Every structure is written in structure tokens, then in C-alpha cells.
Amino acid sequence: MAAPEADQLIRALHLARECIALGARLGTASQVTGLRASMLRTYFFRHGGAVNGRRPESSEWVHWGNLCLRAEASEFASIFSTLHEQYRCLPADALVIAYRMYAERCPRKPTVSFDRAFALVCDLLGIWLRKEARLAMHRCPQCRARYVAEIGAPPPRDPGCVFCHLLQRYPLDPRVQAHYVARRADLPATLVLPDGAGPEKAA
């Protein structure tokens, strides 16, 4: 094997290890790295341990998922788009770095799995599982946050984008508060309730 080919293989294996460590299924790691699934199984799953179950093949959950899932999908997508567009990271590198940055903000298991993040990138860029892009980043005219939606989607109606909905629901919904309570340090100031203010006081 020539030196450039060896370097390329080493880089791909390192990337595969990163994906798998972040929870990627075998098929996802194979798509991202271009390495055969059989090779990845030999290197990383010789004694089992692969993530079981069918991976999500689309990002339809961005539209019908619960509020926290949709908000965190846009959170990941915003980080990914910044890395890819502004810092010129390759899609595979941007996927891994963005997911790691997103996961580090989550004190518990991330709401958006790595496989779902992968499907989201496929629909944002039209790569891997997609021949053309289906989603894009939009700027909310009310809160100015970037959120993910279908290409050409009209501006959101009142009360605004998914983050506007989150700001409106947070003081009133104990489930949303419970989801974000461990992430207080990462919350916008408008989401943080005064100390001792529980759901009954917020309502």
C-alpha cells in the first residue's frame, strides 16, 4: 500500500472510531468514512457491541418530533452549518465535531442521536443518503436564531420559530423545564427561572 493510501486509510479508521464512540451504527460509520461495513466490523466489533436496530433514513422527525427534539435538532444543525460554511470543515469532520460539541452540552444522553444527526446532514447538504438537499438553515425574523426547516419554507407564524416556542413554553411546561434543568448554564437568560421558582410559580 502506497504511503498516501495508507494515510487515507488511517484517517478514515480514526474518523470511524470517532463516529462509533459517539454512538453511530455500523452503516452510518460506513457511509461517513467510505469504508466497507465488513472492515469496520472486523476492526471495531469483533467481539460484538455494535448499536442494534434500524437507523433513521430521513429527517421527517424534525417536523413531527416533540418541541425539545426539534429545538435540539436546530441547535446541532446550527453548529454543523457554522463549521461547514464559515470554517470550511469537510462534511464528515463537521458532523463529528458538531455532534461532539452538541453532546457535551447535554448532561444526559443527547436527545438527537448521532444517526439522526447524520440523517439531518444528509438532508442539509444532499450527500451520502441523498442526491439533493431537502432542508436549509433559516433565520427567525423575531428572535434572529437560526433554525432548520424545508428549503423555501415561509417565515414562521406567531409566535415564531422553534426557539420562540421554547421560550414561550418553558415557564409554563414542567416537562420542558425538566428537560433543560440540568443545562441551566447553557440556557439563554430569558429561559432561566429565578432560584426557587418551580413550575407552580411559573404558571
Side-chain angles (χ1 to χ4, degrees):
M1 182 182 293
E5 293 177 348
D7 290 341
Q8 187 175 5
L9 175 59
I10 292 170
R11 184 184 182 282
L13 286 171
H14 176 75
L15 183 62
R17 183 176 63 182
E18 292 280 310
C19 292
I20 292 166
L22 292 171
R25 286 176 168 82
L26 191 63
T28 299
S30 177
Q31 287 279 350
V32 173
T33 63
L35 298 176
R36 296 189 306 275
S38 58
M39 176 184 287
L40 295 178
R41 187 176 290 108
T42 299
Y43 276 103
F44 300 107
F45 301 114
R46 187 176 303 173
H47 304 293
V51 179
N52 297 318
R54 183 178 178 181
R55 71 179 180 187
E57 298 291 335
S58 75
S59 298
E60 289 299 316
W61 51 272
V62 170
H63 309 296
W64 52 254
N66 65 49
L67 180 61
C68 295
L69 177 62
R70 289 184 285 119
E72 294 195 20
S74 286
E75 180 182 359
F76 163 79
S78 182
I79 299 171
F80 170 83
S81 297
T82 298
L83 291 170
H84 179 60
E85 296 168 4
Q86 297 184 22
Y87 292 92
R88 305 299 181 186
C89 291
L90 295 174
D93 294 330
L95 168 62
V96 169
I97 297 170
Y99 191 79
R100 189 186 301 118
M101 292 174 68
Y102 157 69
E104 286 174 351
R105 300 181 180 186
C106 303
R108 296 180 291 271
K109 183 178 180 180
T111 304
V112 178
S113 68
F114 187 90
D115 291 304
R116 278 183 162 176
F118 165 77
L120 193 56
V121 170
C122 290
D123 283 335
L124 279 169
L125 299 186
I127 58 173
W128 294 319
L129 299 178
R130 299 284 177 265
K131 293 183 179 179
E132 59 183 19
R134 301 179 180 182
L135 301 175
M137 299 305 298
H138 299 259
R139 180 76 67 180
C140 177
Q142 298 190 44
C143 72
R144 305 305 298 165
R146 297 180 77 200
Y147 66 97
V148 64
E150 292 181 349
I151 293 175
R157 300 176 180 176
D158 271 349
C161 72
V162 64
F163 296 113
C164 294
H165 280 269
L166 188 63
L167 287 167
Q168 185 181 63
R169 283 268 300 277
Y170 184 83
L172 306 174
D173 193 328
R175 294 169 300 177
V176 176
Q177 293 174 25
H179 181 82
Y180 286 102
V181 67
R183 295 185 59 179
R184 278 180 75 94
D186 295 320
L187 289 175
T190 48
L191 272 185
V192 179
L193 294 174
D195 289 338
E200 68 283 354
K201 294 184 181 181

